[in-house]
Amino acid sequence: MVSVNKYMSLLSTIYNADVFHARSLLVQSNRRNRFLILKSVLAASLVSARPEAKPVQEPLVFNDGKSGIKCAFWLETSLHRIYPKSVPGGTNLSLLAARNGKISFQACVQNRSVHPLRVQCSVSGTDDLNSRVRSVGLVPMPHLTPNTAASELEGVEFLPGLVPDPLYPESAMVIGPQESRSFWIGLGIPAQVTPGARSVKVNFSLADGKQKAELPATFEISQLIVQPWHDFPVIHWWRGEATWDYYKTGMFDDRWYKLTRAQLEDMLDHGSDVVYVPVFFDRRETFRQPCQLLVVNEPSPGKYEFDWSEVKKFTDMVQEIGFKRFEWSHLWIYWGVENPMRIYKKVDGQYVMLWPPDTKATSDTYINFLKQFLPEFHDFLVRETMLETSYFHLSDEPGSGQHVENYRRARAVLRELAPWMKVMDALSDIRYGKEGLTDMPIPIVSSAQAYIDANIPHWVYYCCGPQGPWLNRFMDTPLSKIRMSGWLFYRLGAKGFLHWGFNYWDKMEKEEAGDPFHDASNSDWPGIPFGDPFMIYPGEEGPVDSLRWEVFSESLQDYAILQTAGLKPDDPLLSELKTDAQFPKNEQ
């Protein structure tokens, strides 16, 4: 065994050296000590919130007899929601931060008076950092996520009720009597910042601004400079029609492009680095205004012409934003590969389908269309130098049995007409992977273990389910559980991640705007758990982020840190991460 003094010396050396220097020390000690040292390396470098090793402190209490203001202030990590009836915590928050990364925490207030209280929050001491303060809003959640034990949920003592989720771009709020609320504080740590201990001040201004309070927040900036992750694409499907339905814009008009650009900038900023290009409309429902970028004309029956100008306008925009990889529409409609996509043309100012919805998947009608479309699609991708950075789909979520045979027939069509096209799809039956029917299977997380056991490379996804103990990010999923996403992707070897709900604000399967601020199930609970259809809310001029979206983004940063540090997925440090259902789920 290494003596206590020698062990502490090693920790001190590692904590003040970069992680790659530290790794050389591991070779010099036995397996047990290597594990302890490596654990300390990650503790010094990972962007994670932790309470200091001190007794729990009381909140800072403010009681002004003259003004009648009575309130309590405290700090909280990014891994616990603050509900209106949350009990105040302590002020002894300490954080760890990697350079070239970001951290977040919450500044919390409980109004203990009988009067509403206006509170302004700001942060000082951040001149060399990037700081942002947002108020945490509340939205109704009338039901808990079904089929899930209370131990797998957060806030069961407060829910059903109001749940904290939207992050409004405002640094002030009015807090009701006997109510707890919080501000979300984000700090960006530039790569050039000097490592070491840091402190910032959280400032509160009360009522008319004459009464003030402040709390220190301390954090350690590690030597580690986190690098962007690689070989792990992340996709979120966005809905163009949801934007014009909610904001009442025109189809593909200037305001629509402005709002969509802001949403996709937000998407990329949060780590979703592959952008979906809706060359076709991918819904089963018949829409008056389908979000289909490609203009298709039919000058004579069965003869098609394609206008790619709107597709190019969109792809030029997303490349300006910074996207380098592109995902294209499915070619057969979801849930069985029984029918072609619903593709529209314009007749007398109205959008109509090229064929009836019940047209067979591999009918002569559709094969004729593909023979004309696919060569032009290939030419467009080559012309725009996008072929090598594109992801293609056949059909979404086919099941077992006859669906496998349907998929097999459609795949044979593509192999003949478009041998250049490799496809990937959300599907879970292991036959798709074992028989090579798709080039990259994407099983739901509850089915991924079969692909792991068969050593079949795969991405993962979740959508409405699985519920219960599985990884997901509903409104009552513990934030600490959401934060484990990046760890699980890394540990379990997923090659990428896909989710359907970025801004699905329409009512489910209807061409009608919903109200995401009052119904996060799109009028479809219990089929759709609250929070599944969208990660962002529609703000006046751009997206409003959610707590879930911020924490998921930081989980992707954890993936980048593990990759930057050179930690192997099978390292003993990660051994407690067994499956997407069995993993540590509390903050510690």
Side-chain angles (χ1 to χ4, degrees):
M1 289 293 290
V2 179
S3 69
V4 173
N5 288 339
K6 184 174 181 182
Y7 174 62
M8 294 304 292
S9 175
L10 283 170
L11 295 190
S12 176
T13 302
I14 292 167
Y15 201 80
N16 292 293
D18 64 52
V19 70
F20 303 104
H21 176 103
R23 288 174 63 194
S24 67
L25 297 174
L26 304 181
V27 181
Q28 304 172 25
S29 52
N30 61 34
R31 185 178 183 277
R32 168 64 177 167
N33 291 323
R34 288 180 63 201
F35 177 79
L36 292 173
I37 294 168
L38 183 54
K39 190 173 182 179
S40 73
V41 172
L42 289 179
S45 62
L46 286 177
V47 182
S48 57
R50 60 169 189 182
E52 287 183 333
K54 298 178 181 178
V56 176
Q57 295 183 5
E58 295 296 319
L60 174 64
V61 176
F62 185 96
N63 192 343
D64 186 347
K66 181 180 293 187
S67 65
I69 296 175
K70 299 178 182 178
C71 54
F73 304 94
W74 74 102
L75 300 178
E76 182 56 81
T77 72
S78 61
L79 300 182
H80 292 284
R81 296 175 176 90
I82 302 301
Y83 299 86
K85 291 299 181 182
S86 287
V87 176
T91 61
N92 59 327
L93 184 71
S94 181
L95 303 171
L96 291 165
R99 293 187 291 168
N100 198 35
K102 59 185 178 181
I103 55 174
S104 57
F105 63 98
Q106 297 176 84
C108 313
V109 186
Q110 183 184 68
N111 179 7
R112 294 180 169 179
S113 74
V114 297
H115 309 290
L117 175 65
R118 185 181 188 276
V119 181
Q120 176 91 29
C121 181
S122 63
V123 184
S124 57
T126 60
D127 292 345
D128 57 344
L129 307 176
N130 301 311
S131 63
R132 186 182 186 189
V133 178
R134 289 175 285 180
S135 60
V136 180
L138 301 170
V139 292
M141 185 176 180
H143 309 284
L144 297 174
T145 296
N147 312 309
T148 305
S151 60
E152 294 286 346
L153 301 175
E154 180 180 342
V156 291
E157 65 271 42
F158 307 117
L159 299 173
L162 294 175
V163 63
D165 198 52
L167 299 179
Y168 294 112
E170 302 160 359
S171 59
M173 72 171 79
V174 177
I175 304 176
Q178 313 303 321
E179 181 181 310
S180 296
R181 299 295 297 276
S182 68
F183 296 91
W184 192 272
I185 299 175
L187 298 177
I189 316 297
Q192 67 272 19
V193 169
T194 303
R198 284 292 300 269
S199 178
V200 299
K201 289 183 179 179
V202 179
N203 309 297
F204 300 96
S205 177
L206 311 178
D208 58 6
K210 294 180 180 179
Q211 296 83 19
K212 299 182 183 296
E214 69 177 38
L215 291 175
T218 61
F219 55 100
E220 183 78 23
I221 299 177
S222 80
Q223 289 279 353
L224 183 75
I225 298 177
V226 61
Q227 302 299 316
W229 69 83
H230 53 83
D231 301 321
F232 187 79
V234 178
I235 295 176
H236 285 82
W237 291 346
W238 61 278
R239 313 297 317 184
E241 70 280 4
T243 297
W244 59 59
D245 287 342
Y246 187 90
Y247 288 95
K248 308 304 179 186
T249 74
M251 292 180 68
F252 308 121
D253 67 7
D254 289 345
R255 178 157 167 72
W256 180 88
Y257 264 103
K258 180 180 178 181
L259 291 164
T260 299
R261 183 182 187 113
Q263 293 167 22
L264 298 182
E265 287 174 342
D266 183 272
M267 178 188 288
L268 183 62
D269 183 61
H270 285 75
S272 191
D273 57 356
V274 181
V275 65
Y276 168 61
V277 184
V279 65
F280 298 141
F281 185 55
D282 65 353
R283 297 299 306 171
R284 298 175 64 90
E285 310 85 64
T286 301
F287 268 46
R288 293 176 296 103
Q289 294 183 309
C291 186
Q292 176 182 302
L293 288 171
L294 182 64
V295 176
V296 181
N297 296 312
E298 191 178 14
S300 61
K303 174 66 177 177
Y304 303 104
E305 296 175 348
F306 306 100
D307 180 351
W308 294 87
S309 56
E310 200 73 52
V311 181
K312 178 170 171 53
K313 179 179 178 180
F314 177 82
T315 55
D316 285 349
M317 179 188 75
V318 296
Q319 289 179 87
E320 288 175 5
I321 291 172
F323 285 98
K324 296 180 174 61
R325 290 179 288 185
F326 315 91
E327 177 200 26
W328 300 87
S329 303
H330 300 77
L331 295 175
W332 282 268
I333 206 68
Y334 46 90
W335 299 346
V337 206
E338 295 175 345
N339 310 109
M341 291 298 286
R342 277 69 160 144
I343 299 172
Y344 291 77
K345 64 180 178 180
K346 208 168 186 179
V347 179
D348 298 329
Q350 304 294 318
Y351 287 93
V352 297
M353 292 185 191
L354 294 179
W355 40 73
D358 61 354
T359 299
K360 296 301 181 182
T362 54
S363 63
D364 291 342
T365 297
Y366 193 49
I367 298 302
N368 171 57
F369 174 84
L370 290 177
K371 285 180 177 179
Q372 296 175 65
F373 165 73
L374 289 171
E376 287 211 22
F377 185 28
H378 179 268
D379 290 347
F380 174 82
L381 294 174
V382 171
R383 187 165 63 249
E384 299 297 319
T385 64
M386 301 171 72
L387 180 60
E388 299 303 320
T389 53
S390 286
Y391 297 90
F392 305 103
H393 292 297
L394 190 154
S395 185
D396 188 42
E397 291 192 314
S400 303
Q402 184 59 44
H403 290 188
V404 178
E405 300 310 314
N406 296 347
Y407 195 98
R408 190 192 312 278
R409 283 195 293 269
R411 188 72 178 98
V413 170
L414 285 186
R415 286 196 172 110
E416 178 185 351
L417 300 182
W420 47 270
M421 183 183 287
K422 293 185 179 298
V423 300
M424 54 187 294
D425 282 305
L427 36 74
S428 297
D429 191 314
I430 192 67
R431 287 181 62 187
Y432 294 100
K434 285 186 173 180
E435 298 179 24
L437 299 180
T438 185
D439 296 289
M440 180 58 72
I442 311 177
I444 199 165
V445 291
S446 52
S447 297
Q449 191 60 46
Y451 285 84
I452 295 172
D453 294 343
N455 199 30
I456 298 173
H458 62 280
W459 290 26
V460 292
Y461 84 103
Y462 42 74
C463 168
C464 308
Q467 297 158 13
W470 298 95
L471 181 69
N472 221 307
R473 54 185 189 197
F474 307 129
M475 279 186 169
D476 52 6
T477 301
L479 295 177
S480 56
K481 187 174 176 179
I482 297 174
R483 181 63 182 265
M484 292 304 294
S485 301
W487 294 76
L488 289 163
F489 299 153
Y490 191 84
R491 163 67 166 166
L492 301 177
K495 301 299 183 183
F497 173 77
L498 168 68
H499 193 267
W500 76 286
F502 177 65
N503 67 334
Y504 197 124
W505 301 321
D506 278 351
K507 292 182 180 178
M508 200 65 205
E509 298 187 344
K510 293 182 179 180
E511 192 174 10
E512 178 185 352
D515 185 353
F517 293 99
H518 291 90
D519 185 357
S521 75
N522 288 358
S523 301
D524 202 34
W525 188 90
I528 305 289
F530 289 93
D532 198 49
F534 54 84
M535 291 290 103
I536 60 170
Y537 293 82
E540 289 186 10
E541 295 299 326
V544 171
D545 293 323
S546 66
L547 270 71
R548 295 166 292 123
W549 188 227
E550 291 296 317
V551 173
F552 182 80
S553 175
E554 292 190 19
S555 85
L556 295 177
Q557 181 175 260
D558 291 341
Y559 185 104
I561 290 172
L562 292 166
Q563 200 172 62
T564 300
L567 192 72
K568 300 297 183 185
D570 61 354
D571 191 279
L573 182 64
L574 305 180
S575 60
E576 290 187 51
L577 283 69
K578 308 292 187 185
T579 70
D580 285 310
Q582 186 181 358
F583 57 92
K585 297 174 182 177
N586 59 28
E587 179 180 10
Q588 206 61 32

